[in-house]
Amino acid sequence: MTTTNAPTVAPRVIKKKRRSFPKWAVTTGWKHLIGLGLIVYAIFPILYIISVSVTPGTRVDDANNLFANGFSIDAYVNLFNDPDRPFARWFANSVIVGLTTALLSVFICSLAAYAFSRLRFRGRRGGLMTLILIQMYPSLLGLVAIYGILENVGRVFPPLGLDSLLGLIMVYLGGSLGGGTYLMYGFFNTVPKEIDEAAALDGASHARIFFTIILRLVSPILAVQMLLSFIGIISDYVLPSILMTHAENLTFAVGLQQFIADPYTKDWTTFCAGAVLVAAPVVALFMYLQRYIVSGLMGGAVKG
Amino acid sequence: MRNDGEKSTTLVKRKKRSSNSLYDSTTTSTKGWVTKIILLGIVDAVAVFASFMLFMQEQWLPLIIEIAVVALVNWIYIKRGSLPAKYLAPGLAFLVAFQISVLVFSFFTAFTNYSTAHNGDIKWSTGAILQTNFATTDDAASYKVSWLKDSKGRPAELLSLQELKTDVNGEPILDPDTGEALFSYTDIKLGVQGEFVQAVDRAIVTWEKPGPDCLTVGSDCGYAVAIPGYDALDVNALSKAKTNALYELKFWEDKSRTGFINLAGGLDTAVASTQIYRFANPGGDYSKPSLTKIADPTLVFKPSKDGYYRQDGKIDGERASETGWQVFVGGQNFGVIFGDQKLREPLLKIISWTIIFAVLSVLTTFIVGLAIALLFDDARLRGKKIYRSIMILPYAFPGFLSAYVWKGLFNQKYGFINTVILGQPNGAINMDASLNNVPWLVDGTVAKIAVLLVNLWLGFPYMFLITTGALQAIPAELTESATIDGATPSQILRLIKMPLLLVSLAPLLISSFAFNFNNFSIIYLLTGGGPTNTATGYDAGETDILITFVYKIAFSTGTGRNYGLASAFSILIFLVVGSMSLISFRRTKFLEDIN
């Protein structure tokens, strides 16, 4: 490990000032101890899932010995061989809904944020305040209304109604606009207006300024925003659980739960295998974009 | 392209006129135009399709609204100028369709009695009452059904009155082969959707087992299966919705609409039933509807103010049915929230736990996150990247999965925490503390601690990330100059770093509080609000926070769904969280940013 930098033998030629072990232990060594403890705390539930997913058996306690009860990939095979619980289909659904919504919502939010950030019009301030207020409404409690809206829309235009992925996407889009626009507005404000002016002087149209200059300048933040909204959507349980009915239309947040919902057919191992497959790409993306995510999180708080 | 002269005048004028003129370029590239036309074309194509569907279903008001909206969209994008509208229109459309409409709907619902028992308008509710309130006596006539359809495609039932064949002792005669009871079929009737039941001459039907003596009464020809002028209807090939419609068919015996024949059990038998109420609706517009009990015509039920048919329409009169309709009840729901004695105790408990939960969640995650950030804010410490990457795993891990996993870990009998970490014998069921059998999600107080522990696990990486960011944003000169002035590290932390940190993190801490105030998924997926105590008639659990409690009021099947009450709650929550955020934004000078 990179952390074992304590010189235990007497220093030879001193190139850098190196610390003796007691001194190292007092200054930074104890920090490593705490750090290791934290790592265990952070990682053990995740190790636990991975361990369960490769352990034979279906009970919650079958893997309590962490990897010591044998190895089996049955659970992963089961995941894709259960016609009543089409995991692959759920996975695809979640990715489709998550990606489409993330892309479209970031785009639509940027359009609105551009107007709020760069244009001056009557009702601008009121509009921003309204946006912030509207997103305070616990959307969960609007479910009755959302259900009713989709039911009515579905009567006229079935592909947008209940139990359809497109309908679900629309609802997510509607829900993400308040907060998203406000966030984007903050990001757009960090792009100096002088850049627009220079471009306008050179004859660029508003659309050109928007698409080729501003969007490009804030693209790292857009990527983070998309990722966060993607994770938020694929993790959502309530909305699809109420709007979707047929097994082939579920998202995995709802579908996976079916493996552990019924006490008689509970299959904890398969559930964990599904969880690993769901979490792995998300975590990988997150790790890959770590740096941007941290700056994105700080967007609202610290300027510069 | 514009010439230079125009450009410079535009820029000069910009300061006097609205600042939008900077973006009000008059030139639009061909590519831009083509894209615009294609996009508009797609929108219009979908709109034409939708209008067609609306037209076919004769939904006039939605049709008018739809046409107006589409016309407005076209006008906005084709017309020159009005830039803000061009950029705002897509977002605005979704906002109005799915958020503002939801808000408006909830606001109205909060003043109605919309609930399981009041689930539609008076027309719908009357239909439901008439549909479900009928009596079938044990000796009611029973019919064998053959499904037909008439020339217009309307479903029809060919009904053969069936009577058990009995021997001289009155015992049923059984089929020697199958052992099933045998029937004789006599009186033949025909029920066509929308018409009264009519008698059919025995001579004109086709019999299941045709024979020479089928035209006489009481012969063993089976039941009637076909009749001239009607085609057979294959009910097994119908869709589920159409089959359900068949189940709801009612064939009235005569104009009095008292007796009718409907399906009993399966699709192949029907019984004669009688209606309990007779419905009168003078004028046909539900201005003076009434239900009269057929068995006792002195009992007349009329609409009462609370959305039920009650005796003589009096508010304290007996109800004709538990099924009512939606009416405005004014502030009644808010009255329940503030005045119902049964609700008061659980509600106060829930509110205080909600606040405790939100405050402690923010505090614990912030303290741990801050501690780690300070700990790692050390240039000499190696491997920081690795630590950070692993420590943000809980944050990267999809939240709903975390809740499920922790639920498994906390399992009292078999969970990892009890059996491995606390070392209890596997499967211990007694509550023996010496066995370390901790009732994690079973006991109210322990469940609260468990919820907070899980939320700490979920939330500390976020706090660690943002405090690290904020720490790094503090200019190094500040701490350096303080060191030169002789400040100790603890003084620097207390007097310089902390105030700066708190200033920059305050908005995030407040929004974290607001988030946890409504942190539905962690509570709902981990404990479901439980352990539950339904003694008060409300489904209120020990770990329920306001939002899960309200969710259960609206959607729980156990105690009935009360959307009206839930909406009233949601308006109140909205007011609380909204004003909280407004105040905090104001204090953090957010508003200056807007202006």
Side-chain angles (χ1 to χ4, degrees), chain B residues 10-27:
Chain B
T10 319
L11 271 181
V12 172
K13 278 183 187 168
R14 190 170 68 79
K15 281 191 180 153
K16 286 183 184 170
R17 285 168 41 198
S18 89
S19 56
N20 286 353
S21 50
L22 166 63
Y23 304 95
D24 272 339
S25 157
T26 48
T27 58

Side-chain angles (χ1 to χ4, degrees), chain B residues 332-507:
Chain B
Q332 190 186 305
N333 290 320
F334 294 94
V336 169
I337 295 174
F338 292 112
D340 185 355
Q341 292 300 324
K342 272 192 304 179
L343 181 61
R344 178 157 302 163
E345 197 209 325
L347 185 61
L348 286 179
K349 263 172 102 175
I350 285 170
I351 291 177
S352 62
W353 165 240
T354 308
I355 294 170
I356 292 173
F357 169 75
V359 168
L360 284 184
S361 290
V362 176
L363 269 186
T364 51
T365 51
F366 179 62
I367 289 172
V368 172
L370 175 71
I372 303 174
L374 288 175
L375 199 70
F376 284 11
D377 187 28
D378 181 345
R380 290 168 303 178
L381 191 71
R382 299 217 198 154
K384 271 187 286 193
K385 253 191 178 166
I386 297 174
Y387 282 125
R388 191 176 75 175
S389 301
I390 295 178
M391 263 188 284
I392 65 169
L393 275 176
Y395 185 57
F397 203 71
F400 73 102
L401 289 177
S402 311
Y404 289 139
V405 170
W406 279 97
K407 196 175 177 177
L409 291 173
F410 276 134
N411 186 304
Q412 191 182 355
K413 272 196 207 176
Y414 307 108
F416 186 82
I417 295 183
N418 270 0
T419 56
V420 179
I421 298 182
L422 299 177
Q424 76 161 2
N426 202 353
I429 35 172
N430 56 348
M431 300 282 282
D432 189 350
S434 65
L435 294 174
N436 287 330
N437 188 263
V438 183
W440 284 110
L441 303 176
V442 182
D443 176 80
T445 316
V446 186
K448 285 178 180 171
I449 296 172
V451 168
L452 283 171
L453 276 177
V454 175
N455 217 15
L456 173 64
W457 184 81
L458 284 168
F460 87 88
Y462 170 76
M463 289 295 182
F464 164 57
L465 290 180
I466 61 168
T467 37
T468 306
L471 271 179
Q472 283 163 356
I474 295 175
E477 301 87 56
L478 274 182
T479 46
E480 276 164 20
S481 58
T483 319
I484 292 168
D485 288 347
T488 63
S490 78
Q491 278 175 325
I492 291 178
L493 175 65
R494 213 157 27 88
L495 301 171
I496 297 178
K497 284 185 177 172
M498 280 308 286
L500 284 171
L501 265 186
L502 284 179
V503 165
S504 60
L505 292 182

Side-chain angles (χ1 to χ4, degrees), chain A residues 106-129:
Chain A
V106 165
F107 180 65
I108 296 178
C109 288
S110 325
L111 285 176
Y114 179 65
F116 280 120
S117 165
R118 290 306 202 259
L119 308 173
R120 291 293 175 270
F121 50 92
R122 235 185 320 140
R124 173 178 163 274
R125 186 165 173 259
L128 266 177
M129 293 303 295

Side-chain angles (χ1 to χ4, degrees), chain B residues 125-348:
Chain B
S125 147
T126 311
I129 292 174
L130 293 176
Q131 186 74 33
T132 50
N133 282 274
F134 59 83
T136 309
T137 50
D138 286 343
D139 56 350
S142 150
Y143 297 90
K144 177 80 183 170
V145 177
S146 296
W147 285 100
L148 306 172
K149 59 184 176 197
D150 70 356
S151 55
K152 293 179 196 158
R154 291 182 300 181
E157 289 175 359
L158 189 55
L159 304 154
S160 317
L161 186 68
Q162 60 182 12
E163 272 161 20
L164 266 181
K165 277 189 180 176
T166 50
D167 57 17
V168 282
N169 298 326
E171 293 293 315
I173 300 174
L174 303 179
D175 186 316
D177 297 331
T178 63
E180 286 171 8
L182 288 174
F183 292 99
S184 68
Y185 300 93
T186 50
D187 203 10
I188 315 294
K189 289 179 176 176
L190 179 68
V192 183
Q193 186 187 19
E195 289 175 15
F196 297 119
V197 175
Q198 60 201 67
V200 174
D201 185 356
R202 200 176 155 78
I204 68 166
V205 297
T206 307
W207 294 93
E208 187 199 22
K209 291 177 277 184
D213 53 346
C214 282
L215 305 184
T216 56
V217 174
S219 54
D220 279 332
C221 300
Y223 51 92
V225 291
I227 184 171
Y230 292 85
D231 296 325
L233 177 68
D234 182 7
V235 284
N236 295 322
L238 291 180
S239 69
K240 204 170 178 185
K242 282 190 173 157
T243 314
N244 285 340
L246 291 186
Y247 276 110
E248 286 178 10
L249 281 181
K250 254 183 180 182
F251 301 105
W252 295 102
E253 304 255 32
D254 55 52
K255 259 199 266 177
S256 73
R257 291 185 185 262
T258 309
F260 62 91
I261 296 171
N262 62 336
L263 287 179
L267 277 169
D268 56 353
T269 47
V271 291
S273 307
T274 46
Q275 200 67 15
I276 290 178
Y277 298 110
R278 177 174 297 124
F279 177 57
N281 183 16
D285 58 353
Y286 286 88
S287 57
K288 275 182 180 165
S290 66
L291 293 173
T292 310
K293 199 157 194 171
I294 290 170
D296 180 5
T298 57
L299 284 177
V300 179
F301 299 87
K302 290 177 181 165
S304 69
K305 272 184 191 162
D306 58 348
Y308 283 112
Y309 280 106
R310 287 182 185 275
Q311 197 174 341
D312 301 324
K314 286 179 190 150
I315 193 82
D316 52 353
E318 197 192 328
R319 278 188 296 209
S321 160
E322 294 290 309
T323 308
W325 57 90
Q326 221 175 310
V327 289
F328 279 98
V329 292
Q332 190 186 305
N333 290 320
F334 294 94
V336 169
I337 295 174
F338 292 112
D340 185 355
Q341 292 300 324
K342 272 192 304 179
L343 181 61
R344 178 157 302 163
E345 197 209 325
L347 185 61
L348 286 179

Side-chain angles (χ1 to χ4, degrees), chain A residues 121-161:
Chain A
F121 50 92
R122 235 185 320 140
R124 173 178 163 274
R125 186 165 173 259
L128 266 177
M129 293 303 295
T130 318
L131 274 185
I132 293 158
L133 272 183
I134 283 178
Q135 58 134 352
M136 297 291 166
Y137 184 75
S139 58
L140 196 74
L141 300 177
L143 271 177
V144 183
I146 288 176
Y147 190 91
I149 292 172
L150 280 200
E151 198 176 27
N152 284 319
V153 170
R155 269 185 214 137
V156 179
F157 194 62
L160 268 184

